Amino acid sequence: MSHTDPPAPRTGRPRSTAADAAILEATRASLVDLGWSKLTMGDVATRAGVAKTTLYRRWAGKNELVVDAVAVLFDELELPDRGSLAADVQGVVLQFATLLERPETRTALMAVVAESTRDDSLRHRIRSAIVDRQKRLVLLGRERAQARGELRYEDDASTAARNADLIFDVIAGAVVHRTLVSAEPVDAEWASGFTTLLLLGLSGAQTA
Amino acid sequence: MSHTDPPAPRTGRPRSTAADAAILEATRASLVDLGWSKLTMGDVATRAGVAKTTLYRRWAGKNELVVDAVAVLFDELELPDRGSLAADVQGVVLQFATLLERPETRTALMAVVAESTRDDSLRHRIRSAIVDRQKRLVLLGRERAQARGELRYEDDASTAARNADLIFDVIAGAVVHRTLVSAEPVDAEWASGFTTLLLLGLSGAQTA
DNA sequence: GCAGTTACGCTACGGGTCGTAGCGTAAGGA
DNA sequence: TCCTTACGCTACGACCCGTAGCGTAACTGC
């Protein structure tokens, strides 16, 4: 929800916040019904009950609109303390998988990432609106594990950041790949196997 | 390269294999220049020096065409025996990352996966043309590691298959996520950290 | 050779989406 | 009240889609 950060022009008719909400909801509905590739700006405008020009006054195009429409779904992600690192990992994996099972996110996430490979500003928007929101969970989970004594504290901030990035890519990447590429379900059994692998590694996970 | 498996109709003018090659190469060139979203069938036809109707005689549309055009790039992936499981993992990670740095694959891979979430036949095509080709490397690497004594043999075929699928999703998913979502390079340092994490797990990788 | 069959190049077309311009009207602030 | 900005609506040229139709090219079997 950060199309234009500057607070607002102080004069003239203000932008309708109701229209904002209606447009984003219409975008999600259109994603569910039509999917990314068949979603059109005209259709979204019709569903939202606004003129097409209103959409273009706020978003540069389909890419930016869909990112903002989907971003709020990632706010649902939480990380309640489940008592152990293993339980926390398994919990977040299942939660993330649930999110990826929704048709809006399935069809939109990969599509906007694909677009972002040729559009730097879109990539930054995705990062701040979606990716960074997930990464917080990794940082929080590590803190807790360190407080519990399950993980030791890193020596310096630079390796700490590298480790967090690595773990984030492994967890998010594995869940996304399993769900969207392999197209097979992330159930409790898979989440359990993955967690064991992540914690103990290939060498140690041979008991599964 | 398996649009139509049946050997060929035995009568009439045969399809030009030269046109096949020219079209697929033109598709890759168009992906490099224009990217997935701006690639059009007309442009590919012009580049290949064939009529647009010729494209539609062989492929149902953009999705299928791009999958076939990109699939051959994944044949470059190999898994030479580097002497240890760690070296093999690190090698395949770097090789896969190199492939994902090419502009054709960057822009195409995520896009066709996104499309496949709403198109079952496309998903099967991707699986047989791309995904299964990578999975072989995992199976081969595991065999070697088991022969070396680095991994023990699984008790039954079902858990063996589950493990292979899991490892595949973790490796491919992590590299794809790092490259295309986090948009940061997979260099030797990252590959080394990932390999350590994969082999030893979070609990054991604390020395890094 | 000759007929039969299929592929190819080319043109043309209706249908759809894009993104914008122009206008009159609505909703706030000085 | 004047000024400024947002909104709805219409219309538009541009582009791409996917297909139909036709004449020509290539290969097979008689």
Side-chain angles (χ1 to χ4, degrees):
Chain A
M1 228 95 80
S2 59
H3 336 120
T4 45
D5 282 326
R10 36 189 33 224
T11 174
R13 177 176 175 177
R15 287 198 172 163
S16 164
T17 58
D20 269 308
I23 291 170
L24 292 176
E25 190 178 341
T27 304
R28 290 187 289 272
S30 188
L31 279 173
V32 173
D33 289 353
L34 306 178
W36 160 268
S37 57
K38 295 187 178 174
L39 177 147
T40 68
M41 299 294 269
D43 177 70
V44 171
T46 304
R47 286 175 193 255
V50 300
K52 198 171 54 164
T53 47
T54 300
L55 267 70
Y56 283 105
R57 286 192 190 98
R58 301 165 194 232
W59 289 278
K62 188 171 158 174
N63 294 335
E64 291 78 6
L65 172 61
V66 169
V67 170
D68 285 4
V70 170
V72 299
L73 301 177
F74 286 81
D75 288 335
E76 301 173 1
L77 293 177
E78 289 175 6
L79 188 61
D81 193 334
R82 291 182 172 84
S84 73
L85 176 56
D88 279 0
V89 170
Q90 193 162 346
V92 78
V93 162
L94 287 172
Q95 214 176 69
F96 188 36
T98 302
L99 183 57
L100 286 180
E101 274 164 16
R102 300 178 62 159
E104 317 94 286
T105 49
R106 290 183 76 92
T107 188
L109 190 60
M110 291 292 96
V112 295
V113 168
E115 292 299 309
S116 77
T117 61
R118 302 207 124 227
D119 184 338
D120 285 346
S121 71
L122 181 63
R123 204 183 64 228
H124 293 129
R125 180 183 283 255
I126 293 174
R127 181 188 291 274
S128 60
I130 297 180
V131 178
D132 286 349
R133 237 160 245 184
Q134 304 175 61
K135 199 173 281 189
R136 272 190 230 148
L137 303 183
V138 172
L139 299 175
L140 178 58
R142 176 174 64 177
E143 264 182 49
R144 284 197 195 137
Q146 287 170 334
R148 289 191 202 103
E150 294 176 297
L151 292 178
R152 71 176 185 81
Y153 290 89
E154 277 94 352
D155 292 332
D156 60 299
S158 136
T159 58
R162 270 206 307 277
N163 279 345
D165 288 347
L166 173 61
I167 293 164
F168 172 63
D169 282 326
V170 169
I171 295 178
V175 175
V176 168
H177 201 275
R178 167 80 177 181
T179 305
L180 301 183
V181 180
S182 297
E184 284 173 44
V186 171
D187 50 18
E189 182 185 355
W190 189 90
S192 164
F194 170 77
T195 302
T196 305
L197 176 60
L198 182 64
L199 294 192
L200 301 182
L202 271 178
S203 323
Q206 292 290 319
T207 50
Chain B
M1 227 97 78
S2 59
H3 337 118
T4 46
D5 283 328
R10 36 186 36 224
T11 174
R13 177 177 176 176
R15 287 198 171 164
S16 163
T17 57
D20 269 308
I23 291 170
L24 292 176
E25 192 178 340
T27 304
R28 289 188 289 272
S30 188
L31 279 174
V32 173
D33 289 353
L34 305 178
W36 159 268
S37 57
K38 295 186 179 174
L39 177 147
T40 69
M41 298 295 270
D43 177 71
V44 171
T46 303
R47 286 174 192 256
V50 300
K52 198 170 57 165
T53 47
T54 300
L55 267 69
Y56 283 105
R57 285 192 190 97
R58 302 164 193 231
W59 289 279
K62 186 172 159 174
N63 294 336
E64 292 77 6
L65 172 61
V66 168
V67 170
D68 285 3
V70 170
V72 299
L73 301 177
F74 286 81
D75 288 335
E76 301 174 1
L77 293 178
E78 289 175 5
L79 188 60
D81 192 334
R82 292 182 173 83
S84 73
L85 176 56
D88 280 0
V89 169
Q90 193 163 345
V92 77
V93 162
L94 286 173
Q95 213 175 72
F96 188 36
T98 302
L99 183 57
L100 285 180
E101 273 165 15
R102 301 178 60 158
E104 317 94 286
T105 48
R106 289 182 77 92
T107 187
L109 189 61
M110 291 291 97
V112 295
V113 168
E115 292 299 308
S116 77
T117 61
R118 300 207 125 227
D119 184 339
D120 285 347
S121 71
L122 181 64
R123 204 183 64 228
H124 292 129
R125 179 182 284 254
I126 293 173
R127 180 188 291 275
S128 60
I130 297 180
V131 178
D132 286 348
R133 238 161 242 182
Q134 305 175 62
K135 199 173 280 187
R136 273 190 228 147
L137 303 183
V138 171
L139 299 175
L140 177 58
R142 175 174 64 177
E143 264 181 49
R144 283 196 195 137
Q146 287 170 334
R148 289 191 203 101
E150 294 176 296
L151 293 178
R152 70 176 186 80
Y153 290 89
E154 276 94 352
D155 293 331
D156 60 299
S158 135
T159 58
R162 269 207 307 276
N163 279 345
D165 287 347
L166 174 60
I167 294 164
F168 173 64
D169 283 326
V170 169
I171 295 178
V175 175
V176 168
H177 202 272
R178 167 80 176 179
T179 306
L180 301 183
V181 180
S182 296
E184 284 173 45
V186 171
D187 49 19
E189 183 185 355
W190 189 90
S192 163
F194 171 75
T195 302
T196 305
L197 176 61
L198 182 64
L199 294 192
L200 301 181
L202 270 178
S203 322
Q206 292 292 315
T207 50

